[in-house]
Amino acid sequence: SNAMRTLPAITAHGIEVDLNVSAEQIGYFAGIYHLAFGLMQLPFGVALDRLSIRLVVALPLAVAALGAALCASASRYDVLLAAQFLIGAGCAPALMATFVFLARTYPPRRFAPLSGIVFAIGGLGMIVTGTPIAFLVERWSWRAGFLVLGAATILCALACWFLIRTGEQRHRRSNETL
């Protein structure tokens, strides 16, 4: 999620040149990730109360990977925006689902330290991926950055699908209505 969030900054110049868009349009492109991410918080929050974490993380990550593939193949700005929306929406449940998983799996006294570790790993992920992705984009093209992160995202989706047990839902499901 953090790597996808920073990718527009790394790829901005290549997109501007290749698709003949302005700096303002690049700003919209970068911002639509955050718009989609924010819009999906409530629906994914409700889904986490009612469905398995496995489902609520793996399927949206597959959508984010699809969005990355669409970005990589986009030849028009509107396609690029739609693809970036898919990336933002697909990455939206990741952090919230992690916290739900921690709350359901560990005793309350471990939540704060484990949350700190999650934030640290996420921050490190942004730092660790920035330079290699920038090198990749500089060496090949902005499209390569989306392809590589899309492939990494689909691997994350598969890992979530196969590694998160379906039995993790032994909690009391909410019976509240919307």
Side-chain angles (χ1 to χ4, degrees):
S1 177
N2 279 338
M4 287 290 203
R5 184 176 68 183
T6 59
L7 193 56
I10 296 169
T11 60
H13 178 71
I15 294 171
E16 283 178 321
V17 171
D18 198 22
L19 297 184
N20 194 28
V21 296
S22 68
E24 181 181 23
Q25 288 173 302
I26 292 294
Y28 290 137
F29 165 66
I32 202 160
Y33 171 97
H34 302 284
L35 175 66
F37 193 97
L39 287 173
M40 296 308 296
Q41 292 305 300
L42 187 58
F44 283 135
V46 171
L48 283 167
D49 285 342
R50 306 205 175 281
L51 304 170
S52 76
I53 293 171
R54 173 182 156 175
L55 187 67
V56 177
V57 175
L59 294 182
L61 281 177
V63 169
L66 173 65
L70 287 172
C71 274
S73 64
S75 60
R76 296 188 346 236
Y77 179 69
D78 59 339
V79 173
L80 191 71
L81 288 179
Q84 183 73 340
F85 189 91
L86 291 176
I87 293 171
C91 289
L95 184 61
M96 186 179 0
T98 302
F99 290 150
V100 169
F101 177 81
L102 292 176
R104 290 180 186 166
T105 307
Y106 296 97
R109 65 177 169 32
R110 302 229 13 232
F111 186 81
L114 290 172
S115 296
I117 291 169
V118 167
F119 277 118
I121 291 170
L124 281 174
M126 200 177 325
I127 292 168
V128 170
T129 60
T131 301
I133 294 296
F135 175 78
L136 179 75
V137 167
E138 184 179 305
R139 187 93 158 131
W140 283 282
S141 81
W142 65 271
R143 295 176 190 279
F146 283 99
L147 287 174
V148 166
L149 285 184
T153 303
I154 200 65
L155 288 175
C156 287
L158 289 169
C160 288
W161 188 259
F162 290 112
L163 296 176
I164 298 174
R165 296 185 323 263
T166 54
E168 52 84 21
Q169 290 300 89
R170 297 196 196 290
H171 71 286
R172 252 175 65 164
R173 285 198 172 115
S174 172
N175 56 4
E176 294 180 16
T177 64
L178 284 177

